[in-house]
Amino acid sequence: MKININIQEHKSLRELVYDRLHELIVNGDIKPGTRLMEVDLAEKLGVSRTPVREAIRKLEREGLVIIKERKGAYVSEISIRSMIDILEVQSNLEGLAAYLAAYRMDKSQQEELFQIEKEFEKAVDGGDVNQISKVDEEFHHRLVQSSENAHLIHLLEQLNEHVIRFRYLYYQDIRRVEEMIPEHQSILDAIVESRAEKARNAAYSHIDKLKDMVLRGELQ
């Protein structure tokens, strides 16, 4: 199977290879525990081994790949403990982002977020997992950006690299996805009303419910 990369993008070959491997890992197309064979990947991507090796090293620094001495490179596993740790941090940071957004988000940004939420509802109705994922990520991205806190935005962007990996697991549960619609709405309503503490609690609860699913063993 050939893995396509978009050579039309204005990026170096190294960046294109990294972007493609990163996407395949976080989307779950390359499963946790899979060994990354440089020769095979280079052949599938239609490149030499050098950009593949460089991409794997970068993915290792981000925690998405583990390199074992004399054994090779493997996609890192997603442990229950890791998911809980990540969600504990995410719930608090996104709660802070929503708190700040309640003060800083302007009318046009609110309208954009409402439109994204409508698109999310449409995706849920259609049962399109890829579209649900895409729009949900955009909802959280816009919310975080509206905090207008550069350090907070940077921290959540880094964290999101790991969150996306197991987010696909609960997108398969339509009951959970349907529950997310009123949860998003609660966050939005609090922001529009400039009720910062309510927005914080709504955003925290939204992520905390996912943590509860992990603790109950529903995402294994």
Side-chain angles (χ1 to χ4, degrees), residues 161-178:
E161 299 292 319
H162 299 277
V163 173
I164 292 172
R165 294 187 68 197
F166 57 83
R167 189 175 281 170
Y168 279 82
L169 296 175
Y170 69 83
Y171 287 141
Q172 307 296 329
D173 185 342
I174 192 62
R175 293 170 301 174
R176 172 58 194 145
V177 174
E178 288 173 344

Side-chain angles (χ1 to χ4, degrees), residues 153-194:
I153 292 168
H154 178 66
L155 287 170
L156 279 164
E157 284 177 349
Q158 287 185 310
L159 193 65
N160 197 49
E161 299 292 319
H162 299 277
V163 173
I164 292 172
R165 294 187 68 197
F166 57 83
R167 189 175 281 170
Y168 279 82
L169 296 175
Y170 69 83
Y171 287 141
Q172 307 296 329
D173 185 342
I174 192 62
R175 293 170 301 174
R176 172 58 194 145
V177 174
E178 288 173 344
E179 289 173 355
M180 290 163 63
I181 295 174
E183 291 170 16
H184 285 177
Q185 192 64 52
S186 294
I187 298 170
L188 276 169
D189 288 345
I191 289 172
V192 171
E193 296 165 4
S194 298

